[in-house]
Amino acid sequence: MDLAYLREHPGQLPLFLTHQRIRETPVPGGDICTATRLTLDDGNSVFAKSWPEGAAEAVPENFFATEAAGLRWLRAAGAVPVPEVIAALPELLALEWVEPGEATPAAAARFGAELAALHRAGADTFGADWPGFVGALPQDNTPSAGPWPVWFGEHRLVPYLRQSVDNGALSAAEVTLVELVISRIDGYGGAEPPARIHGDLWPGNLLWGADGRAWLVDPAAHGGHRETDLAQLALFGGAPHLETIVDAYQEVWPLADGWRERVPVHQLHLLLVHTALFGAAYRDAVGRAARAALSV
């Protein structure tokens, strides 16, 4: 099997893998799926991710189709580099291989400008025309005309707050703080139109390539607020050269006044996803973000 054949016959990939006709090399690929580099007969490689064998739960319906739809939508903007979808099957996703490189200031500056162009490509509504996932959790992408604050509270904060309460990840104190943020949600964010955003842009979903560019991977893509992507880039230690990214972004499309103060509001979404997925280890982070949001 070579790359041209795979593009023409993506459904044949599982058969070739079953019969060990393709060399597989494990690679880092995230917390949810098993990731491998597949080396084809013509020497080309593709990146493949699959649901882990022996997982307690079956792969969720539309899990890989959703990621493929988001990748294609982001790629269609022609702004930030996004891997080509080679095969999107119920049990696996195969993507263009991106050779890893270094996170340089030049790459960061280019990415900042390209991210602004991606956001400016826009979306018809908040949400998306495909079902959503963030990590392994469903995410409500029901299209909405907005306004953004109400949509964000209802579709990005409330569901994961509920799940975090149900699994015991948050104490009453954190729940009260987050509920206060939601009750004041109208005060956050301006009247900007829906931006075309990655939606899960913590630094681990930014792939620095050997080509000197930063690539977007593992999206939870939808129409949202552009400040969300920038806020997420500051999580978990922050992306390399983050201020360079922001400065380059601002040169292309300046952010609204007060955007830095709103960062914790946008970060609450992914932090609540983490308490919903991984439990109390992220409890303190949720509390800090909520208190910071309430101080705005």
Side-chain angles (χ1 to χ4, degrees):
M1 175 179 278
D2 58 24
L3 186 57
Y5 182 90
L6 179 57
R7 284 193 172 107
E8 291 293 324
H9 306 89
Q12 294 294 312
L13 183 55
L15 180 64
F16 277 76
L17 290 172
T18 299
H19 292 283
Q20 299 181 335
R21 296 287 302 276
I22 298 174
R23 190 172 74 199
E24 298 182 65
T25 306
V27 294
D31 300 319
I32 305 299
C33 293
T34 299
T36 54
R37 179 177 185 171
L38 306 182
T39 304
L40 307 178
D41 290 338
D42 60 359
N44 282 306
S45 293
V46 298
F47 174 85
K49 58 194 301 187
S50 57
W51 199 249
E53 291 187 17
E57 298 180 358
V59 57
E61 185 178 3
N62 294 318
F63 183 76
F64 292 117
T66 291
E67 182 171 344
L71 287 165
R72 288 171 174 139
W73 186 62
L74 295 174
R75 184 179 169 91
V80 183
V82 177
E84 175 193 356
V85 176
I86 306 296
L89 306 173
E91 66 272 31
L92 65 84
L93 181 68
L95 306 175
E96 171 186 1
W97 177 260
V98 178
E99 193 64 32
E102 297 295 325
T104 65
R110 183 169 183 175
F111 170 66
E114 291 173 338
L115 183 64
L118 173 70
H119 290 166
R120 253 189 170 154
D124 292 335
T125 64
F126 296 107
D129 291 333
W130 51 84
F133 284 93
V134 57
L137 297 178
Q139 182 160 263
D140 186 359
N141 272 349
T142 302
S144 169
W148 175 82
V150 174
W151 175 86
F152 186 75
E154 292 179 352
H155 297 278
R156 294 296 182 263
L157 298 183
V158 169
Y160 305 107
L161 174 61
R162 289 173 178 163
Q163 291 177 52
S164 300
V165 170
D166 290 345
N167 70 8
L170 299 179
S171 71
E174 288 85 35
V175 173
T176 298
L177 288 169
V178 176
E179 287 177 337
L180 277 172
V181 173
I182 294 170
S183 72
R184 301 179 187 179
I185 201 70
D186 284 342
Y188 303 108
E192 292 195 359
R196 187 171 305 212
I197 71 170
H198 179 285
D200 189 10
L201 197 53
W202 69 284
N205 285 341
L206 194 59
L207 175 57
W208 300 90
D211 60 354
R213 302 180 77 184
W215 294 64
L216 297 183
V217 296
D218 293 342
H222 62 276
H225 199 301
R226 61 193 180 116
E227 291 177 11
T228 297
D229 274 352
L230 291 163
Q232 292 173 347
L233 280 171
L235 283 169
F236 312 130
H241 311 296
L242 180 57
E243 285 306 312
T244 299
I245 293 171
V246 171
D247 290 346
Y249 186 105
Q250 296 257 52
E251 289 183 10
V252 175
W253 192 9
L255 294 157
D257 291 344
W259 73 270
R260 288 190 186 274
E261 288 72 26
R262 292 187 292 272
V263 163
V265 179
H266 293 272
Q267 290 179 338
L268 262 180
H269 169 225
L270 274 195
L271 293 173
L272 287 169
V273 167
H274 276 67
T275 50
L277 270 173
F278 305 117
Y282 293 91
R283 173 184 295 170
D284 290 345
V286 167
R288 286 193 298 271
R291 283 190 290 271
L294 292 169
S295 69
V296 174

